[in-house]
Amino acid sequence: MITAEQKPIREIRDMIAPYKRILVLGCGSCVAECAAGGEKETAMLASALRMAAKMDQEDFDIHEMTLDRQCVNDFILQLDDVIDQYDAVLSLGCGAGVQAVADMYQEIPVIPALNTEFLGQTKDQGYWVENCLGCGDCMLYHFGGICPLARCSKQILNGPCGGSMDGRCEINPEIDCAWQMIIDRLSKFQALERLEKIYPPKDWSKKQGSGPRKIIREDQRK
Amino acid sequence: MTNKQEPTLALFYCQNVPDSGVGERQLLEEKYGPRLRLFPIPCSGRLEPLHLLRALEELADAAYVITCPGDQCRYFEGNARAKKRVERTKQILSDIGLETDRVGIIMGTKEAAKGLPTLAAEILDTTTQLGISPVFAKKT
Ligand code: SF4
Ligand code: SF4
């Protein structure tokens, strides 16, 4: 899923300052799972902003609403009936959600309340880790299901580097060495020979370099 | 909410707290009137920062939670969760410039367990000292 964290309230208040009627808009998908922009967090932020406005005797009209998914037009359309009541939308969607709403309602500013961070896994309650860079050409088969691009500090494809020690990364001893994990995992299902191959440098052209990527599936289109 | 005279306390409490039955609650409500708003919850782990925030936004000058003693939670870790959620709420209050003492948690001890009436009186004292919240300050 996509992970995110809320921006500092001060920054949010500065961004919404020019507007009076504000819709605080949550998203019930990824950002709800990482407790950044779901219904609960949206209600908390809206409440905090209303209190801050009252304390500073500012005249704001702040309401909240949460869509099941903020990056899909079919859900965004639910705003059609209410959007005219607002001067700005404060979105707790990820960057994709913010832009999807902005794309739909071109005349209204859509302001991000979150910093979108990474593609990750919920490791434990309240603990999320990055484990995929969305490179466009997945190599997890070769590396026993552990991505060296996302999880090795040097992103090396023929590891480990010389600094791996006691299973820890030399760049950041707080993290496990991705290459130690790759070797351990491949050993568990007798597939270490996959590492006998020398992997060429990653071809990043499938990720970046020619503008935003897109996927078009004719079988899915109207 | 702009013509408040006396501060209001929103008090959430775990039903495991001594002397917190319906009878005691009614007596407290009669005694303190609108100064005290009581919210019994089955376990303090049910409390969310949103409950405290909404109380402070809508009606209360302080919002506190009373939990059962540290190791007495019927659901094992409800009171530990409540503590974290109060901390999170304090952070939000600090971010918007509201005194963090306007929320708090009281976790009794098994040895010196105080009942709801005693604790309510003590927290009401704190609330009175804090005064009316700037959220309800009159426009000049
Ligand atoms: S190789 Fe790594 S970055 Fe690329 S798709 Fe697979 S997990 Fe994601
Ligand atoms: S110690 Fe391991 S994770 Fe860290 S840079 Fe070297 S190979 Fe990568």
Side-chain angles (χ1 to χ4, degrees), chain A residues 40 47 50 54-55 57, chain B residues 48 57 92 96-97 135 138:
Chain A
K40 214 188 286 179
S47 179
R50 280 191 293 265
K54 280 196 205 169
M55 284 161 62
Q57 308 200 342
Chain B
E48 292 284 348
E57 182 191 344
I92 295 169
I96 61 170
V135 172
K138 275 187 186 166

Side-chain angles (χ1 to χ4, degrees), chain A residues 26-196:
Chain A
C27 173
S29 295
C30 303
V31 291
E33 168 62 22
C34 66
E39 193 168 15
K40 214 188 286 179
E41 295 78 26
T42 301
M44 283 163 61
L45 178 60
S47 179
L49 291 172
R50 280 191 293 265
M51 276 197 275
K54 280 196 205 169
M55 284 161 62
D56 292 350
Q57 308 200 342
E58 292 166 346
D59 208 6
F60 276 116
D61 192 10
I62 298 172
H63 298 271
E64 70 257 34
M65 179 173 172
T66 298
L67 302 177
D68 285 346
R69 205 159 291 173
Q70 218 182 101
C71 56
V72 177
N73 285 354
D74 289 351
F75 294 98
I76 302 172
L77 283 171
Q78 290 170 33
L79 297 179
D80 270 2
D81 295 339
V82 297
I83 197 81
D84 287 345
Q85 299 161 27
Y86 298 100
D87 305 322
V89 173
L90 176 64
S91 163
L92 288 90
C94 70
V98 174
Q99 294 181 67
V101 175
D103 203 27
M104 181 81 83
Y105 304 106
Q106 303 264 334
E107 310 303 325
I108 192 163
V110 184
I111 297 161
L114 304 184
N115 290 325
T116 302
E117 312 229 337
F118 52 80
L119 283 181
Q121 167 197 355
T122 304
K123 189 99 174 152
D124 201 349
Q125 211 171 326
Y127 177 16
W128 297 274
V129 288
E130 179 170 27
N131 58 11
C132 174
L133 301 185
C135 73
D137 184 14
C138 191
M139 308 174 76
L140 284 173
Y141 166 77
H142 306 285
F143 303 124
I146 290 156
C147 177
L149 298 170
R151 298 171 75 177
C152 164
S153 304
K154 296 177 189 168
Q155 297 190 326
I156 47 182
L157 296 183
N158 300 282
C161 74
S164 175
M165 187 140 30
D166 300 328
R168 294 281 161 182
C169 171
E170 74 162 345
I171 303 287
N172 178 2
E174 282 184 10
I175 60 169
D176 293 324
C177 168
W179 271 96
Q180 184 69 56
M181 289 193 287
I182 290 168
I183 289 163
D184 291 348
R185 181 79 56 80
L186 286 171
S187 308
K188 281 185 184 148
F189 47 88
Q190 292 80 45
L192 257 184
E193 79 284 350
R194 287 180 203 169
L195 298 186
E196 280 166 17

Side-chain angles (χ1 to χ4, degrees), chain B residues 7-32:
Chain B
T8 302
L9 167 66
L11 190 55
F12 299 82
Y13 60 94
C14 152
Q15 287 170 331
N16 208 12
V17 169
D19 306 328
S20 66
V22 178
E24 285 94 342
R25 175 182 167 186
Q26 282 167 350
L27 284 174
L28 284 169
E29 283 171 345
E30 277 166 29
K31 182 171 176 187
Y32 294 110

